Amino acid sequence: MVVQRTFVMIKPDGVKKGLIGEIIRRFENKGLAIVALKMLKLSREKAEELYAIHKGKHFFEDLINFVTSGPVVAMVLEGDEAVNVVRTMIGPTDGRKAPPGTIRGDFALSVQENIIHAADSIEAAIREMKVIFKDEDFVC
Ligand code: IDP
Ligand code: MG
């Protein structure tokens, strides 16, 4: 067993569509533990830090405008191979191509407005959770 922590964020479109409960339910049903959870509105600065890897790409400005457009729900999930398990559960980036049964496949029809973010590696997860959470935000 390889217990990992990963960073997940329900984007403004997911919050607006009323999907917070549905998404958290899927992660809990899967057996992942929530070890930190926060609803917040991202500042431009935090959004740019979170998505720093995409700076300079054609979609960067639109992405920053989108993720700062309303509240998000950020969380850290823990479980066996959590990074890859969560990436599989959210599905591919483009909601139009994401298979049914994945979060994006079930709820998104757009490449930008795709409901949810999840870290794609352990290193990214550690970096991203530090952008949003302080040590005291963790329950364990
Ligand atoms: P990921 O969220 O599946 O890891 P990334 O390639 O890391 O996908 O892109 C980060 C986010 O940027 C995506 O979730 C999506 O919101 C947005 N994005 C990615 N590619 C495009 C694009 O080609 N057009 C518009 N938005 C995009
Ligand atoms: Mg990514």
Side-chain angles (χ1 to χ4, degrees):
M1 199 157 109
V2 186
V3 177
Q4 298 172 343
R5 287 184 171 190
T6 193
F7 175 78
V8 173
M9 187 179 78
I10 304 173
K11 295 178 178 178
D13 57 331
V15 173
K16 275 192 202 105
K17 281 184 168 176
L19 292 170
I20 298 170
E22 164 74 25
I23 290 168
I24 289 176
R25 188 182 60 78
R26 289 183 180 214
F27 292 135
E28 288 188 317
N29 282 354
K30 185 72 176 169
L32 294 157
I34 302 167
V35 296
L37 179 70
K38 194 191 277 188
M39 188 172 196
L40 72 155
K41 193 141 181 266
L42 283 178
S43 63
R44 217 172 166 80
E45 192 184 24
K46 289 274 179 203
E48 289 187 1
E49 204 181 335
L50 199 59
Y51 283 111
I53 194 169
H54 296 301
K55 206 169 174 122
K57 291 189 186 162
H58 68 94
F59 58 81
F60 185 73
E61 279 306 315
D62 284 348
L63 174 62
I64 298 306
N65 288 335
F66 164 52
V67 294
T68 56
S69 68
V72 299
V73 175
M75 66 195 96
V76 176
L77 299 175
E78 184 181 272
D80 194 15
E81 296 187 31
V83 172
N84 282 334
V85 165
V86 169
R87 285 291 291 194
T88 302
M89 289 177 74
I90 75 169
T93 310
D94 188 340
R96 295 165 299 192
K97 295 181 183 140
T102 64
I103 293 169
R104 286 165 169 173
D106 289 347
F107 302 115
L109 196 58
S110 158
V111 62
Q112 178 180 269
E113 303 203 0
N114 57 4
I115 307 288
I116 189 161
H117 164 88
D120 64 3
S121 68
I122 294 173
E123 296 70 34
I126 291 166
R127 193 189 69 77
E128 291 169 7
M129 63 182 82
K130 282 185 184 157
V131 175
I132 304 296
F133 293 104
K134 303 188 188 86
D135 285 348
E136 59 263 35
D137 294 327
F138 290 82
V139 293
C140 55

